[in-house]
Every structure is written in structure tokens, then in C-alpha cells.
Amino acid sequence: MQRLLASVLPVLQSNFKRLPHPYKLTFAITYRCNSRCTICNIWKKPHFPEMTLDNIKKFFTANPYFRWVNLTGGEVFLRPDLIEIIKIILHTQKNLYFLNFPTNGIMTKQIVKQLQQILNLNPPHFIVSISLDGPKTTHDTLRGITGNWEKAVKTYKELKKLRSSHFDTYFGMTLSHYNNGLIEQTYEELKKAIPSLKRSDIHFNIAHHSSHYYGNTAQDGNVNIKTIEHLDAYNKKKSFVLTKISFIEYVYQRHIKQYLTTKKTPLPCLALSSSVFLNPYGMIYPCSMWNMPLANIQDINYDLQALWNTKKTKQARILIARKKCSNCWTPCEAYQSILGNMFTSEVWEK
């Protein structure tokens, strides 16, 4: 209960003011990837020396206030010290409430083994999403790996056996023009392979571009309005169970059409107010989408507080508030913005 209250407080405060430090960190621990995705060029990036465990420990020790840590990649399981990174996070972030990360599900045996090790560390609330972007042929084509679909499904089945009140897994489907009209077919094909699958076991987001993160262009995978009509049709067949995640996802999806129409973030974004992005080399950005490097953690002695109220950061925050940034609607940035606008009509109106 104490951990829950400590986590709720900054979320509530984020509705009224810029926080003294972010409660959410998105941390890309590696850009190495064993997928070859059509809409993402992370796998094409040149590799540089990543932050060492010592660097990571210094960073989290200097900043012990995160309530939500979202690890991402690349493929996080290609980082050989993943377990040690999570140990550092759990040891230093005493009020951590939520830990999550995605995987392409290719290395089933390794993923299951390491997930069991992570669960033995007792993370408070932990979710792993398995990327799956269409029926078998479409997914393998988009991911550039033959057999990826079958491996992702096998990984899902194995991780679902580990489900508990503190851990769950689901599929994450990125919608783009490459899989337009295939939402229902994706579900039906998965249902044949996994009879217990519910419609709510597939979560959705829309394709984006980011020069500093994905390394792709504005033309890669653009979503059209028709795709959202298919998503609406899918959701009408879904039994709605109210949970923290399902409500946030509901609000997120309800604003997709507005975003695609206006190309502007539907709700006031809280990057550099509630959240921040850290790349594998220690560079801090406002978010995963906007290419606005602020500082390297080694240059600020690993202390975010030394950066949070600088002129450069405050100016970047003003630009975000004025929607002069890249303007995105990706869950990595949208979810905390939804939580930080809970007292506005935009969140509640249909």
C-alpha cells in the first residue's frame, strides 16, 4: 500500500504542475536487434559502446525516484547483463511501481529462463509485451525473419504460464499501412494457435518515425484512417474489463483518429514534466520521438536534477507545451500524458 500511495502521488501532482523530477523513465538499454523490421531501422544503426553496468548503477543511484521504468531496445534480451540491470533498478528505486518492456519473442528459451530469474527478484508490477504485427506471413515479412510468428506465439504461451497478480504478458501490434485491414485476421489466426486468447490480449499502437530512435523517416509505415475503422470494429467485439491499463488504452485509441487528422498530439504532452528518455549511450532526450539531445549523463555527474531546471531543458519544455516538438501519439509518451490530464474534458469525453 505504501508503494502504491508513493506512486499515485506524483501522477496526481502531474495534473497540476511540472514535477521536480520525472516519475517515468524510458530507457533504451540497447539498439542491437535480431529483427529486420520494415518500419524500424534500429537494426541498421551502427553499434557504439553502450552504458556499462557501472554507468547504469551510478545513474539509478543518483536518481532514486522513478515509479515507472520502461526498458526498450532494440531487443532487450540481446543485452547479456539484462538481469543485472533489473537488479540495479529494483535495488535503487524503492518506490518503483511498474516495470515493463517489449520483446520480439524470437529467443524463446532464453526469454523464458531470464523471465523466471526476473520474477524471482519480485518486481512489483511487471508486464512484457510480445511484438506481433499481423498474420503469420505478414508478420514474418514485416519483421524480416522467417519463423518469427511461430516463435513469438511459442514465447507468449510459455510466458502466460508464469502469469500472476504481479506479472502478465500480451501481444503488441503496431498498426501501419503494411497491415491495414488485418486486425481481425491476426486475432483469428492467433485464436487457432492459442484457444484461450482473448481480444484484450492484443494491445495496439500506431507506427511512428523518429530520427534518433527508430532511425526511420516520416514515410515509413504511415497509418491511415481506414486502419482505425478496423480497430473500432475489433473493439466492439471485445469484452471490456476495467483495469488501469485498459482504461488508458481506451483513451489512447479514442484519440488516434484525431492525431491522424491533425498531426498534433491530442493531449498536452508531459515529456520533460513527468517523463524522460535515456538512450543506450547515456544521452538524455525529452522523449523517444523528438530529436532534441539535452545532455549525456556522464557530463552531469549522472544527476538528472542538474539538467531538469536548466535553461535548455526549460526551453525544450516550453516548445513541447506549444506543440513545437515532433508531435507523436506513441504509448511510450501518450500514456503518462493521459494520466497527467485526468481532470480535463479531453480525456473523458467520447
Side-chain angles (χ1 to χ4, degrees):
M1 179 60 70
Q2 182 179 353
R3 189 189 295 265
L4 174 60
L5 292 175
S7 300
V8 168
L9 182 58
V11 173
L12 288 175
Q13 290 174 330
S14 71
N15 283 266
F16 305 104
K17 65 177 183 178
R18 181 173 184 250
L19 299 180
H21 43 67
Y23 71 78
K24 183 190 176 186
L25 171 72
T26 298
F27 178 19
I29 61 175
T30 185
Y31 284 154
R32 286 172 285 166
C33 193
N34 50 357
S35 288
R36 299 293 181 264
C37 296
T38 303
I39 61 174
C40 172
N41 293 329
I42 283 179
W43 58 277
K44 294 181 180 180
K45 287 188 172 193
H47 295 157
F48 301 103
E50 298 166 343
M51 293 172 63
T52 65
L53 274 179
D54 184 58
N55 296 146
I56 292 170
K57 184 176 182 180
K58 287 178 179 178
F59 173 76
F60 280 106
T61 300
N63 305 281
Y65 41 70
F66 295 115
R67 270 60 168 182
W68 179 356
V69 175
N70 169 210
L71 300 181
T72 189
E75 171 56 42
V76 297
F77 286 97
L78 288 179
R79 179 96 192 201
D81 51 5
L82 173 63
I83 303 300
E84 296 305 312
I85 291 173
I86 292 177
K87 284 181 180 179
I88 289 171
I89 293 170
L90 296 179
H91 177 72
T92 58
Q93 309 305 302
K94 299 301 183 182
N95 287 315
L96 184 73
Y97 186 74
F98 188 41
L99 173 70
N100 69 304
F101 55 74
T103 176
N104 57 28
I106 291 176
M107 303 181 295
T108 301
K109 186 175 180 180
Q110 178 182 335
I111 291 170
V112 173
K113 179 181 178 181
Q114 293 195 323
L115 253 294
Q116 290 172 326
Q117 291 178 278
I118 295 170
L119 290 174
N120 287 337
L121 299 174
N122 297 314
H125 289 85
F126 180 32
I127 288 180
V128 173
S129 61
I130 300 172
S131 301
L132 196 142
D133 297 332
K136 183 185 298 186
T137 301
T138 302
H139 180 73
D140 286 2
T141 299
L142 288 178
R143 293 275 158 172
I145 302 293
T146 302
N148 193 334
W149 190 92
E150 291 181 348
K151 291 174 181 176
V153 169
K154 182 178 180 181
T155 298
Y156 176 87
K157 289 179 178 179
E158 292 300 314
L159 295 191
K160 209 66 176 177
K161 295 176 183 178
L162 303 175
R163 185 180 182 276
S164 70
S165 59
H166 296 286
F167 171 71
D168 206 352
T169 186
Y170 60 77
F171 288 113
M173 183 172 182
T174 299
L175 303 178
S176 70
H177 69 76
Y178 294 108
N179 56 20
N180 180 41
L182 296 179
I183 294 175
E184 189 67 26
Q185 185 180 339
T186 300
Y187 168 73
E188 290 173 355
E189 195 166 299
L190 281 173
K191 185 73 172 176
K192 290 179 182 178
I194 311 168
S196 61
L197 188 81
K198 302 186 293 293
R199 288 181 178 270
S200 58
D201 289 326
I202 307 176
H203 292 214
F204 300 92
N205 64 87
I206 57 176
H208 279 75
H209 72 277
S210 169
S211 58
H212 81 88
Y213 180 42
Y214 297 126
N216 57 6
T217 68
Q219 286 72 43
D220 291 340
N222 287 345
V223 189
N224 58 46
I225 297 295
K226 196 70 176 178
T227 301
I228 309 310
E229 293 175 2
H230 289 294
L231 178 58
D232 290 341
Y234 177 88
N235 285 334
K236 287 178 181 178
K237 299 177 183 178
K238 182 171 68 177
S239 299
F240 183 78
V241 178
L242 182 61
T243 65
K244 292 184 287 292
I245 296 296
S246 65
F247 173 76
I248 296 172
E249 186 179 38
Y250 169 75
V251 177
Y252 169 78
Q253 292 182 12
R254 188 158 48 79
H255 285 82
I256 291 177
K257 185 176 289 187
Q258 177 186 344
Y259 170 72
L260 295 178
T261 302
T262 65
K263 302 301 181 183
K264 295 290 185 180
T265 305
L267 297 175
C269 177
L270 296 190
L272 291 184
S273 180
S274 297
S275 58
V276 73
F277 176 85
L278 177 65
N279 82 0
Y281 317 118
M283 187 61 69
I284 298 166
Y285 292 81
C287 65
S288 55
M289 297 295 115
W290 190 23
N291 191 2
M292 174 63 75
L294 297 173
N296 191 286
I297 58 171
Q298 295 186 62
D299 296 331
I300 56 173
N301 198 28
Y302 300 91
D303 185 3
L304 268 179
Q305 292 298 103
L307 176 70
W308 198 244
N309 291 312
T310 62
K311 182 178 180 180
K312 184 177 182 179
T313 301
K314 288 183 176 180
Q315 286 177 335
R317 176 61 208 152
I318 290 171
L319 292 175
I320 293 169
R322 294 176 179 173
K323 299 190 178 183
K324 300 295 184 180
C325 54
S326 59
N327 279 281
C328 71
W329 195 235
T330 172
C332 289
E333 309 305 332
Y335 280 14
Q336 60 268 29
S337 295
I338 291 170
L339 291 172
N341 287 281
M342 293 296 291
F343 299 97
T344 64
S345 59
E346 289 86 354
V347 166
W348 297 99
E349 65 186 11
K350 292 185 178 181

Coordinates of all heavy atoms in Angstrom, one line a residue, residues 162-205:
L162 N 3.5 -18.2 -16.6 CA 4.1 -17.5 -15.5 C 3.2 -16.4 -14.9 O 3.6 -15.7 -14.0 CB 5.5 -17.0 -15.9 CG 6.5 -18.0 -16.4 CD1 7.7 -17.2 -16.9 CD2 6.8 -19.0 -15.4
R163 N 2.1 -16.2 -15.5 CA 1.2 -15.1 -15.1 C 0.8 -15.2 -13.6 O 0.6 -16.3 -13.1 CB -0.1 -15.2 -16.0 CG -1.0 -14.0 -15.7 CD -2.3 -14.2 -16.6 NE -3.2 -13.0 -16.5 CZ -4.1 -12.9 -15.5 NH1 -4.2 -13.9 -14.6 NH2 -4.8 -11.8 -15.5
S164 N 0.8 -14.0 -13.0 CA 0.4 -13.9 -11.6 C -0.3 -12.6 -11.4 O -0.5 -11.8 -12.3 CB 1.6 -14.1 -10.7 OG 2.5 -12.9 -10.9
S165 N -0.5 -12.2 -10.1 CA -1.1 -10.9 -9.8 C -0.1 -9.8 -10.1 O -0.5 -8.6 -10.1 CB -1.6 -10.9 -8.4 OG -0.5 -11.2 -7.5
H166 N 1.2 -10.2 -10.2 CA 2.2 -9.2 -10.4 C 2.8 -9.2 -11.8 O 3.6 -8.3 -12.1 CB 3.3 -9.4 -9.4 CG 2.9 -9.1 -8.0 ND1 2.6 -7.9 -7.5 CD2 2.6 -10.0 -7.0 CE1 2.2 -8.0 -6.2 NE2 2.2 -9.2 -5.9
F167 N 2.5 -10.2 -12.6 CA 3.1 -10.4 -13.9 C 2.1 -10.8 -14.9 O 1.3 -11.7 -14.7 CB 4.3 -11.4 -13.9 CG 4.8 -11.7 -15.3 CD1 5.5 -10.7 -16.0 CD2 4.5 -12.9 -15.9 CE1 5.9 -11.0 -17.3 CE2 4.9 -13.2 -17.2 CZ 5.6 -12.2 -17.9
D168 N 2.2 -10.2 -16.1 CA 1.4 -10.6 -17.3 C 2.1 -10.3 -18.6 O 3.1 -9.6 -18.6 CB 0.0 -9.9 -17.2 CG -1.1 -10.7 -17.9 OD1 -0.7 -11.8 -18.6 OD2 -2.2 -10.4 -17.9
T169 N 1.6 -10.9 -19.6 CA 2.2 -10.7 -20.9 C 1.0 -10.6 -21.9 O -0.1 -11.1 -21.7 CB 3.1 -11.9 -21.3 OG1 3.7 -11.6 -22.6 CG2 2.3 -13.2 -21.5
Y170 N 1.3 -9.8 -23.0 CA 0.3 -9.7 -24.1 C 1.0 -9.4 -25.4 O 2.2 -9.2 -25.4 CB -0.7 -8.5 -23.7 CG -0.1 -7.2 -23.5 CD1 0.3 -6.4 -24.6 CD2 0.1 -6.6 -22.3 CE1 0.9 -5.1 -24.5 CE2 0.7 -5.4 -22.1 CZ 1.1 -4.6 -23.2 OH 1.6 -3.4 -23.0
F171 N 0.2 -9.5 -26.5 CA 0.8 -9.1 -27.8 C 0.6 -7.6 -28.0 O -0.4 -7.0 -27.7 CB 0.0 -9.9 -28.9 CG 0.3 -11.4 -28.9 CD1 -0.7 -12.3 -28.6 CD2 1.6 -11.8 -29.3 CE1 -0.4 -13.7 -28.7 CE2 1.9 -13.2 -29.4 CZ 0.9 -14.1 -29.0
G172 N 1.7 -7.1 -28.6 CA 1.6 -5.7 -29.0 C 1.7 -5.6 -30.5 O 2.6 -6.0 -31.2
M173 N 0.6 -5.0 -31.1 CA 0.5 -4.9 -32.6 C 0.7 -3.4 -33.0 O -0.1 -2.6 -32.6 CB -0.8 -5.5 -33.1 CG -1.0 -5.5 -34.6 SD -2.5 -6.4 -35.1 CE -2.3 -6.3 -36.9
T174 N 1.7 -3.2 -33.8 CA 1.9 -1.8 -34.4 C 1.1 -1.7 -35.7 O 1.4 -2.5 -36.6 CB 3.4 -1.6 -34.6 OG1 4.1 -1.6 -33.4 CG2 3.6 -0.2 -35.2
L175 N 0.2 -0.8 -35.7 CA -0.6 -0.6 -36.9 C 0.1 0.3 -37.9 O 0.6 1.4 -37.6 CB -2.0 0.0 -36.5 CG -2.8 -0.8 -35.5 CD1 -4.1 -0.1 -35.2 CD2 -3.1 -2.2 -36.0
S176 N 0.1 -0.1 -39.2 CA 0.7 0.7 -40.2 C 0.0 0.4 -41.5 O -0.9 -0.5 -41.6 CB 2.2 0.4 -40.4 OG 2.4 -1.0 -40.9
H177 N 0.4 1.0 -42.6 CA -0.3 0.7 -43.9 C 0.1 -0.7 -44.4 O -0.5 -1.2 -45.3 CB 0.0 1.8 -44.9 CG 1.4 1.8 -45.4 ND1 1.9 0.9 -46.3 CD2 2.4 2.7 -45.1 CE1 3.2 1.2 -46.6 NE2 3.5 2.3 -45.9
Y178 N 1.2 -1.3 -43.8 CA 1.6 -2.6 -44.2 C 0.6 -3.7 -43.7 O 0.6 -4.8 -44.2 CB 3.0 -2.9 -43.7 CG 4.1 -2.0 -44.3 CD1 4.7 -1.0 -43.5 CD2 4.5 -2.2 -45.6 CE1 5.7 -0.2 -44.1 CE2 5.5 -1.4 -46.1 CZ 6.1 -0.5 -45.4 OH 7.0 0.3 -45.9
N179 N -0.1 -3.4 -42.6 CA -1.0 -4.4 -42.1 C -2.5 -3.9 -42.0 O -3.3 -4.4 -41.2 CB -0.6 -5.0 -40.7 CG -0.4 -3.9 -39.7 OD1 -0.9 -2.8 -39.8 ND2 0.4 -4.2 -38.6
N180 N -2.7 -2.9 -42.8 CA -4.1 -2.3 -42.9 C -5.1 -3.4 -43.2 O -5.0 -4.2 -44.1 CB -4.1 -1.2 -43.9 CG -5.5 -0.6 -44.0 OD1 -6.2 -0.3 -43.0 ND2 -6.0 -0.3 -45.2
G181 N -6.2 -3.5 -42.4 CA -7.3 -4.4 -42.6 C -7.0 -5.8 -42.1 O -7.8 -6.7 -42.3
L182 N -5.9 -6.0 -41.4 CA -5.5 -7.4 -41.0 C -5.7 -7.6 -39.5 O -5.3 -8.6 -38.9 CB -4.1 -7.7 -41.4 CG -3.8 -7.7 -42.9 CD1 -2.3 -8.0 -43.1 CD2 -4.7 -8.7 -43.6
I183 N -6.4 -6.7 -38.8 CA -6.5 -6.8 -37.3 C -7.3 -8.1 -37.0 O -6.9 -8.9 -36.2 CB -7.2 -5.6 -36.7 CG1 -6.2 -4.4 -36.8 CG2 -7.5 -5.8 -35.2 CD1 -6.8 -3.0 -36.3
E184 N -8.5 -8.2 -37.6 CA -9.4 -9.3 -37.3 C -8.7 -10.6 -37.7 O -8.8 -11.6 -37.0 CB -10.7 -9.1 -38.0 CG -11.8 -10.2 -37.6 CD -12.2 -10.0 -36.1 OE1 -12.1 -8.9 -35.6 OE2 -12.7 -11.0 -35.6
Q185 N -8.1 -10.6 -38.9 CA -7.4 -11.9 -39.3 C -6.3 -12.3 -38.4 O -6.1 -13.4 -38.1 CB -6.9 -11.6 -40.8 CG -6.3 -12.9 -41.4 CD -5.7 -12.7 -42.8 OE1 -6.1 -11.7 -43.4 NE2 -4.8 -13.5 -43.2
T186 N -5.6 -11.3 -37.9 CA -4.5 -11.5 -36.9 C -5.1 -12.2 -35.7 O -4.5 -13.2 -35.2 CB -3.8 -10.2 -36.5 OG1 -3.2 -9.6 -37.7 CG2 -2.7 -10.5 -35.5
Y187 N -6.2 -11.7 -35.2 CA -6.8 -12.3 -34.0 C -7.2 -13.7 -34.3 O -7.0 -14.6 -33.5 CB -7.9 -11.4 -33.5 CG -8.8 -12.1 -32.5 CD1 -8.3 -12.3 -31.2 CD2 -10.1 -12.6 -32.8 CE1 -9.1 -12.9 -30.2 CE2 -10.8 -13.3 -31.9 CZ -10.4 -13.4 -30.6 OH -11.1 -14.1 -29.6
E188 N -7.9 -13.9 -35.4 CA -8.5 -15.2 -35.7 C -7.4 -16.3 -35.9 O -7.5 -17.4 -35.4 CB -9.3 -15.2 -37.0 CG -10.6 -14.4 -36.7 CD -11.4 -14.2 -38.0 OE1 -10.9 -14.5 -39.1 OE2 -12.5 -13.6 -38.0
E189 N -6.3 -15.9 -36.5 CA -5.1 -16.8 -36.6 C -4.5 -17.1 -35.3 O -4.1 -18.3 -35.0 CB -4.1 -16.2 -37.6 CG -3.1 -17.2 -38.1 CD -2.3 -16.7 -39.3 OE1 -3.0 -16.4 -40.4 OE2 -1.1 -16.6 -39.2
L190 N -4.4 -16.1 -34.5 CA -3.8 -16.4 -33.1 C -4.7 -17.2 -32.3 O -4.3 -18.1 -31.5 CB -3.6 -15.0 -32.4 CG -2.3 -14.2 -32.8 CD1 -2.3 -12.9 -32.1 CD2 -1.1 -15.0 -32.4
K191 N -6.0 -17.0 -32.4 CA -7.0 -17.8 -31.7 C -6.9 -19.3 -32.0 O -7.1 -20.1 -31.1 CB -8.4 -17.2 -32.0 CG -9.5 -17.9 -31.2 CD -9.5 -17.4 -29.7 CE -10.7 -17.9 -29.0 NZ -10.7 -17.5 -27.5
K192 N -6.6 -19.6 -33.2 CA -6.5 -21.0 -33.6 C -5.3 -21.6 -32.9 O -5.3 -22.8 -32.5 CB -6.3 -21.1 -35.1 CG -7.6 -20.8 -35.9 CD -7.4 -20.9 -37.4 CE -8.7 -20.6 -38.1 NZ -8.5 -20.7 -39.6
A193 N -4.2 -20.8 -32.8 CA -3.0 -21.3 -32.2 C -3.1 -21.3 -30.7 O -2.4 -22.1 -30.0 CB -1.8 -20.5 -32.6
I194 N -3.9 -20.3 -30.1 CA -4.0 -20.1 -28.7 C -5.5 -20.0 -28.3 O -6.1 -18.9 -28.3 CB -3.3 -18.8 -28.2 CG1 -1.9 -18.8 -28.8 CG2 -3.2 -18.8 -26.7 CD1 -1.2 -17.4 -28.6
P195 N -6.2 -21.2 -28.2 CA -7.6 -21.2 -27.9 C -8.1 -20.3 -26.8 O -9.2 -19.8 -26.8 CB -7.9 -22.6 -27.7 CG -6.9 -23.4 -28.4 CD -5.6 -22.5 -28.2
S196 N -7.2 -20.1 -25.8 CA -7.6 -19.3 -24.6 C -7.4 -17.8 -24.8 O -7.8 -17.0 -23.9 CB -6.8 -19.7 -23.4 OG -5.4 -19.5 -23.6
L197 N -6.9 -17.4 -26.0 CA -6.7 -16.0 -26.2 C -7.9 -15.2 -26.2 O -9.0 -15.5 -26.8 CB -6.0 -15.8 -27.6 CG -5.5 -14.4 -28.0 CD1 -4.2 -14.2 -27.3 CD2 -5.4 -14.2 -29.5
K198 N -7.9 -14.0 -25.5 CA -9.0 -13.1 -25.5 C -8.6 -11.9 -26.4 O -7.4 -11.6 -26.6 CB -9.3 -12.6 -24.1 CG -9.6 -13.7 -23.1 CD -10.0 -13.1 -21.8 CE -8.9 -12.4 -21.1 NZ -7.8 -13.4 -20.7
R199 N -9.6 -11.2 -26.9 CA -9.3 -10.0 -27.7 C -8.5 -8.9 -26.9 O -7.7 -8.2 -27.5 CB -10.7 -9.4 -28.2 CG -11.4 -10.2 -29.3 CD -12.7 -9.5 -29.7 NE -13.2 -10.4 -30.8 CZ -13.0 -10.2 -32.1 NH1 -12.2 -9.3 -32.5 NH2 -13.6 -11.0 -33.0
S200 N -8.7 -8.9 -25.7 CA -8.0 -7.9 -24.8 C -6.5 -8.3 -24.6 O -5.7 -7.5 -24.1 CB -8.6 -7.8 -23.5 OG -8.7 -9.0 -22.8
D201 N -6.1 -9.5 -25.1 CA -4.7 -9.9 -25.0 C -3.9 -9.3 -26.1 O -2.7 -9.6 -26.2 CB -4.6 -11.5 -25.1 CG -5.1 -12.1 -23.8 OD1 -5.0 -11.5 -22.8 OD2 -5.7 -13.2 -23.9
I202 N -4.5 -8.6 -27.1 CA -3.8 -7.9 -28.1 C -3.9 -6.4 -27.9 O -5.0 -5.9 -27.8 CB -4.3 -8.2 -29.5 CG1 -4.3 -9.7 -29.7 CG2 -3.4 -7.6 -30.6 CD1 -4.9 -10.1 -31.1
H203 N -2.8 -5.7 -27.7 CA -2.8 -4.3 -27.5 C -2.3 -3.6 -28.8 O -1.5 -4.2 -29.5 CB -2.0 -3.9 -26.3 CG -2.5 -4.3 -25.0 ND1 -2.4 -3.6 -23.8 CD2 -3.2 -5.4 -24.6 CE1 -3.0 -4.2 -22.8 NE2 -3.5 -5.3 -23.3
F204 N -2.7 -2.4 -29.0 CA -2.4 -1.7 -30.3 C -1.7 -0.4 -30.1 O -2.0 0.3 -29.2 CB -3.7 -1.5 -31.1 CG -4.4 -2.8 -31.4 CD1 -5.4 -3.3 -30.5 CD2 -4.1 -3.5 -32.5 CE1 -6.1 -4.5 -30.8 CE2 -4.8 -4.7 -32.8 CZ -5.8 -5.2 -32.0
N205 N -0.8 -0.1 -31.0 CA -0.3 1.3 -31.1 C -0.1 1.6 -32.6 O -0.3 0.7 -33.5 CB 1.1 1.4 -30.4 CG 2.1 0.5 -31.0 OD1 2.8 0.8 -31.9 ND2 2.2 -0.8 -30.5

